[in-house]
Amino acid sequence: MGQIVGAAVVSHHPGLVQPKEIRVQRGNGRDSDLVEGFERVRAKIDAVKPDTFVLFDTHWLTTSLHLVAGAAHYKGSYTSDELPFSMTRFPYDHAGAPALAAEVEKVAQERKVAARNVVEETLPLHYPTINVIHYLGRGEKVLSVGTCQTARFKHFLEMGEVVGEAIRRSDARVVLLASGAMSHKFYDLDHVPPNPRVWHPDNVSEPKNRALDMEVLELWKQGRHDIVLDRFPELEEAKYEGRGAHYAQMMGALGGRSCRARGTQLSEYENAAGTGNVHVWFDLQ
């Protein structure tokens, strides 16, 4: 019987894979703490010894269907069409989780949830998967889960429930990775960051969004996912990345409003182009 042994919300923005000297320059003499934060997340992963990551990818936007990437292997070179000068010919090479992906589709069919398994190895990957696996991967299998842009909150929870049941029916030891920002409103081209350290939270685009992020971080610390999920319209108003699908799907897999996993913040809360970014680990043991 498979088991979910850990879970985390993690940042993935392209600035994290730029050369260190650029990151330090943008940080006014100090690197982004999210980079060292990945090492702290990895230490948590090492402690629970998973063989598989299920990664909820906020940039893999699908339509009319939830999708999972179920090929046996992914290898290639990625150039971002969004930010090509931050990520050009960035290599990736990791195993997929085809058996788990097939189980996801089977459970979805049983529950009449609109979800399919994509087995084509040439499926384009996105940097929420590539960047996180770059920092956290140590040979684990990886199953990427998309963000259906025609889904609503209840559908994200249902898809998470499907993923959770599929894991239970498998033989996998899984860490869930919700790859995305918190508030995700970009500032415009004329914006001048008020703090010279680009990563500083003062540079998050909206003070009210930053305040909401702080409230959510405290609720995660307390394990009060029920309250966060009940406040989901506020998260969507603050433009949580992928409409918050990464977090909602992860919570669906962990029991939804009944989940009381307490969060441990493993990085500073940082800005990236106006968005709020952080790594938070949820203990399930």
Side-chain angles (χ1 to χ4, degrees), residues 4-284:
I4 301 172
V5 296
V9 171
V10 289
S11 178
H12 61 235
H13 69 80
L16 300 176
V17 296
Q18 289 185 301
K20 183 175 181 179
E21 58 269 23
I22 294 177
R23 300 195 310 260
V24 170
Q25 181 182 21
R26 298 185 71 198
N28 197 31
R30 186 162 68 90
D31 200 353
S32 165
D33 188 61
L34 290 163
V35 175
E36 288 191 11
F38 277 122
E39 297 177 10
R40 302 174 198 124
V41 175
R42 184 64 222 190
K44 293 286 189 180
I45 292 170
D46 289 339
V48 297
K49 298 179 173 59
D51 54 50
T52 304
F53 293 151
V54 171
L55 189 147
F56 300 100
D57 188 313
T58 47
H59 281 221
W60 183 16
L61 297 180
T62 71
T63 305
S64 301
L65 284 170
H66 302 287
L67 297 179
V68 295
H73 194 263
Y74 295 93
K75 182 177 182 179
S77 178
Y78 173 81
T79 295
S80 169
D81 57 350
E82 177 190 2
L83 291 160
F85 300 105
S86 294
M87 290 191 70
T88 299
R89 298 183 181 179
F90 196 85
Y92 60 89
D93 185 352
H94 61 259
L100 179 57
E103 197 65 52
V104 169
E105 182 172 85
K106 180 180 178 182
V107 174
Q109 290 173 344
E110 292 173 3
R111 298 188 176 195
K112 295 181 171 53
V113 172
R116 294 284 298 276
N117 173 25
V118 184
V119 299
E120 177 54 63
E121 288 189 353
T122 59
L123 180 76
L125 299 188
H126 300 269
Y127 64 71
T129 294
I130 292 168
N131 292 359
V132 169
I133 300 308
H134 169 73
Y135 277 111
L136 295 182
R138 300 289 188 276
E140 293 85 1
K141 299 174 184 177
V142 179
L143 178 64
S144 292
V145 181
T147 295
C148 181
Q149 62 184 338
T150 51
R152 300 192 303 276
F153 172 61
K154 71 170 187 175
H155 301 125
F156 295 136
L157 287 179
E158 288 172 353
M159 181 56 179
E161 291 168 1
V162 165
V163 170
E165 176 61 21
I167 291 168
R168 285 188 288 275
R169 295 185 188 184
S170 76
D171 60 359
R173 287 180 60 84
V174 173
V175 164
L176 304 177
L177 298 171
S179 180
M182 301 182 75
S183 62
H184 200 250
K185 183 179 186 298
F186 295 113
Y187 41 64
D188 64 31
L189 290 175
D190 294 330
H191 177 79
V192 177
N195 193 295
R197 175 172 163 78
V198 167
W199 316 121
H200 196 282
D202 284 352
N203 296 331
V204 171
S205 61
E206 294 279 353
K208 65 179 182 180
N209 289 352
R210 185 169 67 245
L212 176 63
D213 288 348
M214 293 299 102
E215 293 175 24
V216 170
L217 284 171
E218 181 57 31
L219 290 167
W220 285 351
K221 181 179 178 181
Q222 298 170 16
R224 294 306 307 267
H225 301 284
D226 55 330
I227 298 176
V228 178
L229 292 174
D230 286 342
R231 295 179 65 179
F232 211 77
E234 295 178 59
L235 274 57
E236 291 186 299
E237 184 179 354
K239 300 186 182 300
Y240 266 49
E241 187 161 15
R243 294 170 48 221
H246 57 321
Y247 173 68
Q249 291 183 102
M250 183 175 74
M251 280 297 108
L254 293 176
R257 289 177 174 84
S258 67
C259 179
R260 289 293 182 271
R262 293 179 179 270
T264 301
Q265 188 171 331
L266 296 179
S267 75
E268 297 174 12
Y269 170 82
E270 292 188 348
N271 162 72
T275 72
N277 294 264
V278 72
H279 303 322
V280 177
W281 175 265
F282 301 98
D283 283 306
L284 305 178

